[in-house]
Amino acid sequence: MRTYLKDLNKIEDGKDIDVYGWVQESRKIKKLLFLILRDNTGIIQVTVKEENVNNYDEVYGITRESVINVKGTVNKKSVSKQGIEILAREVQVLNAAETPLPMGIIDRVSADFDTRLNNRFIDLRKIDNALIFRFESELLFFIREYMHSEGFIEVHTPKIVAAATEGGADLFPVSYFEKKAYLNQSPQLYKEILMGSGFDKVFEVGPAFRAEKENTIRHLNEFTSIDVEMSFSDDEYVMGILENSIKYSINNVIDNIGDLLNENGYGIKKISVPFPRVTYSELIEYLQKNNFEIKFGDDFSPEASKFISRKYDNFYFITKWPAELRPFYTMPDKNNRDITNSFDLQLGDIEVCSGAQRIHNYELLEENFLKKGLNKNSFDFYIKAFKFGMPPHAGWGLGLERLVMNILKLNNVRESTLFPRDRSRLSP
RNA sequence: GCCUCGGUAGUGUAGCGGCCUAUCAUACGGGCCUGUCGAGCCCGUGACUCGGGUUCAAAUCCCGGCCGAGGCGCCA
């Protein structure tokens, strides 16, 4: 029976063992051979002596990153640094790796990020890189758990659509039999239709596509969006859902794999709520006082965002954005039509989530279509749902890769994407 | 899309008009070594992004293409 390497220290000294993995290194001293074996859970030294195996020559010539099976006994009195090793009785080469490797796994030379991505299957053999995705998985698990505990149901909306969600962003066209279609940039419109269907609380985890020609460390053309929509709710309430889900998730992940993250250089701390809130207008004033050339209605430049982020050492909300900076479906403030019941969640200088109370009134929505210069007719499938009993509602969309990137303090969103799609990368 | 910078062995780099038959590390191949663990020692293989041009002479300068990194605009 297979044993995972992380479980080896639970096994008694001298017991028979059967392990599988990759040969990370081999150190040869004539009639003595040390293999460093790695599996998904850890590493172990395998000591191979000529007199103990019947294919010593084959094992001696084994290449790095070959996949092998080792049967042998656990030696807990090993003089190796790990203090534990496997004395091999049988080493079977399941699949030999070619040499040289496209890039090293444990070599004392770095590789460019481009080289790493071109050889992502190897890059992900590095524990610290793979751990990013373990972290992402855990994070998402607990966000889902939180959502379920709050009565949300997980839904799946189409990614091939006939019209733009928000009008502004560029879409990837696809050919849909005899029609023209697009890859959806957001599940927004479908989430809202589901509010009209009485689903009350929904969330979705799925891909979103943006055909924007960005070339930055925080943009992807395909990313994973965690979307939430909730009926009879407003911006304030869903901000609470957001901060609580993040708190719940991060704190649970730390309980689970906090040590592992620390060992690999991802020092993260538990967080508490509520997150600080600051209005857009307050920040505009703050920036103006600090000699930034910015006025109400402007978005924050990256430089301004960096400046603002110095005031906060963790998550914070920027609320009450001007209507002109927000999509057509965003609810205006009832006392001031120039601002909206909207928010962004920031971590550091990067926006990880954006949300709002939505317009539920048909006439107001129609008016906003005109204001934003959108063609109402192409949104018929959506706007129809507002005529026959649409409840007030609010929600948000959270960029998963950006969230992971920022929590783990990675310096590029592509680091938290298995196979990133950016301005120029379409493979692997 | 605009701007800046860059492309030298499998990988990461040095060299930036003639000392280049191109540096160093790492990897790779071979040899020595029975407890290594960044193993060590010896030997070896291996590269100037492509196309034009300038020059007696180009990895090095100029123009263009291709590829990449980052910044901006925009956004999650």
Side-chain angles (χ1 to χ4, degrees):
Chain A
M1 203 185 85
R2 180 183 178 193
T3 300
Y4 286 95
L5 299 183
K6 71 172 161 55
D7 297 326
L8 276 181
N9 45 20
K10 296 178 201 154
I11 290 174
E12 275 174 55
D13 188 35
K15 279 263 182 188
D16 277 4
I17 197 94
D18 187 10
V19 294
Y20 293 78
W22 286 259
V23 177
Q24 186 165 93
E25 297 175 67
S26 80
R27 287 193 278 275
K28 304 167 179 181
I29 294 127
K30 188 127 186 174
K31 299 294 172 195
L32 185 59
L33 174 62
F34 301 102
L35 301 177
I36 306 302
L37 184 71
R38 181 193 68 246
D39 74 7
N40 185 37
T41 67
I43 60 169
I44 189 72
Q45 177 172 103
V46 176
T47 301
V48 187
K49 296 181 179 175
E50 188 170 26
E51 62 269 28
N52 294 344
V53 296
N54 59 19
N55 59 340
Y56 191 76
D57 287 346
E58 184 192 10
V59 180
Y60 195 82
I62 204 162
T63 52
R64 295 201 307 174
E65 294 306 314
S66 293
V67 178
I68 62 170
N69 168 226
V70 178
K71 293 181 170 66
T73 53
V74 174
N75 174 17
K76 291 197 154 181
K77 301 181 196 78
S78 168
V79 296
S80 72
K81 282 188 177 166
Q82 234 181 332
I84 178 169
E85 67 182 10
I86 294 172
L87 278 168
R89 187 177 57 244
E90 189 184 328
V91 177
Q92 192 190 353
V93 180
L94 300 174
N95 212 153
E98 287 181 22
T99 61
L101 296 165
M103 55 180 270
I105 306 227
I106 49 146
D107 295 3
R108 283 179 284 148
V109 290
S110 56
D112 289 343
F113 196 31
D114 187 49
T115 306
R116 291 176 45 206
L117 289 176
N118 285 334
N119 299 283
R120 195 59 154 156
F121 67 100
I122 284 195
D123 189 49
L124 292 169
R125 289 181 192 176
K126 296 179 187 169
I127 307 272
D128 52 339
N129 292 156
L131 190 54
I132 294 168
F133 300 97
R134 170 98 184 268
F135 175 79
E136 185 191 88
S137 170
E138 295 262 340
L139 196 72
L140 198 49
F141 174 84
F142 287 112
I143 288 175
R144 279 198 166 103
E145 190 168 84
Y146 179 85
M147 289 302 165
H148 280 287
S149 76
E150 289 290 319
F152 285 80
I153 64 163
E154 183 165 1
V155 297
H156 300 281
T157 62
K159 301 307 153 205
I160 303 174
V161 297
T165 305
E166 299 169 23
D170 290 326
L171 299 168
F172 289 109
V174 296
S175 125
Y176 196 73
F177 306 115
E178 60 284 343
K179 289 177 187 157
K180 195 171 186 184
Y182 303 92
L183 295 178
N184 208 180
Q185 61 172 139
S186 158
Q188 183 60 31
L189 307 186
Y190 291 94
K191 284 192 303 179
E192 292 196 70
I193 292 173
L194 292 175
M195 294 302 98
S197 307
F199 274 46
D200 210 70
K201 295 173 174 178
V202 301
F203 77 102
E204 173 166 10
V205 180
F209 305 91
R210 308 271 164 99
E212 282 152 5
K213 295 180 176 175
E214 287 109 354
N215 189 205
T216 77
I217 55 166
R218 62 191 181 282
H219 285 97
L220 296 165
N221 293 293
E222 176 178 358
F223 66 95
T224 307
S225 182
I226 305 173
D227 271 86
V228 159
E229 205 68 31
M230 180 174 177
S231 291
F232 306 104
S233 180
D234 60 17
D235 45 322
E236 291 291 333
Y237 195 87
V238 295
M239 283 163 75
I241 295 283
L242 176 57
E243 62 191 350
N244 281 311
S245 64
I246 289 179
K247 183 195 90 173
Y248 178 82
S249 180
I250 290 183
N251 290 177
N252 273 107
V253 173
I254 290 175
D255 286 342
N256 265 14
I257 57 167
D259 291 344
L260 192 58
L261 290 166
N262 265 314
E263 285 163 24
N264 286 279
Y266 302 117
I268 65 173
K269 288 195 207 98
K270 292 205 174 182
I271 57 173
S272 55
V273 292
F275 300 154
R277 281 133 163 96
V278 59
T279 66
Y280 169 88
S281 301
E282 285 166 348
L283 287 177
I284 292 291
E285 266 182 53
Y286 173 69
L287 288 169
Q288 284 169 343
K289 274 183 198 151
N290 286 279
N291 302 318
F292 277 84
E293 265 199 35
I294 190 166
K295 59 180 192 305
F296 184 88
D298 292 343
D299 206 345
F300 302 116
S301 67
E303 196 194 352
S305 297
K306 278 193 185 72
F307 187 75
I308 293 165
S309 72
R310 288 191 211 124
K311 291 172 67 166
Y312 304 95
D313 57 3
N314 220 315
F315 291 96
Y316 60 99
F317 283 110
I318 302 176
T319 64
K320 298 288 175 188
W321 289 73
E324 56 197 292
L325 290 180
R326 290 278 148 165
F328 67 87
Y329 49 77
T330 311
M331 180 68 92
D333 183 275
K334 62 178 182 297
N335 300 314
N336 179 357
R337 293 288 296 266
D338 291 336
I339 59 172
T340 56
N341 295 341
S342 59
F343 59 88
D344 277 1
L345 180 68
Q346 305 276 134
L347 181 52
D349 59 338
I350 289 185
E351 176 190 343
V352 293
C353 177
S354 136
Q357 183 188 177
R358 327 294 193 188
I359 294 171
H360 53 277
N361 175 279
Y362 180 86
E363 283 74 29
L364 189 52
L365 198 57
E366 200 170 38
E367 188 186 315
N368 262 19
F369 267 110
L370 287 173
K371 259 192 209 163
K372 298 273 180 186
L374 297 171
N375 177 8
K376 185 171 80 101
N377 294 334
S378 55
F379 292 88
D380 269 351
F381 75 100
Y382 162 73
I383 202 161
K384 198 173 167 187
F386 287 73
K387 285 184 179 175
F388 305 101
M390 173 64 79
H393 58 282
W396 42 259
L398 172 65
L400 179 61
E401 293 86 354
R402 275 197 183 179
L403 181 65
V404 171
M405 166 197 184
N406 277 274
I407 295 172
L408 298 183
K409 299 189 170 56
L410 310 175
N411 52 26
N412 192 318
V413 72
R414 295 166 183 86
E415 293 276 8
S416 54
T417 311
L418 283 172
F419 301 104
R421 291 292 174 264
D422 63 27
R423 178 71 181 86
S424 53
R425 180 173 290 279
L426 196 51
S427 175

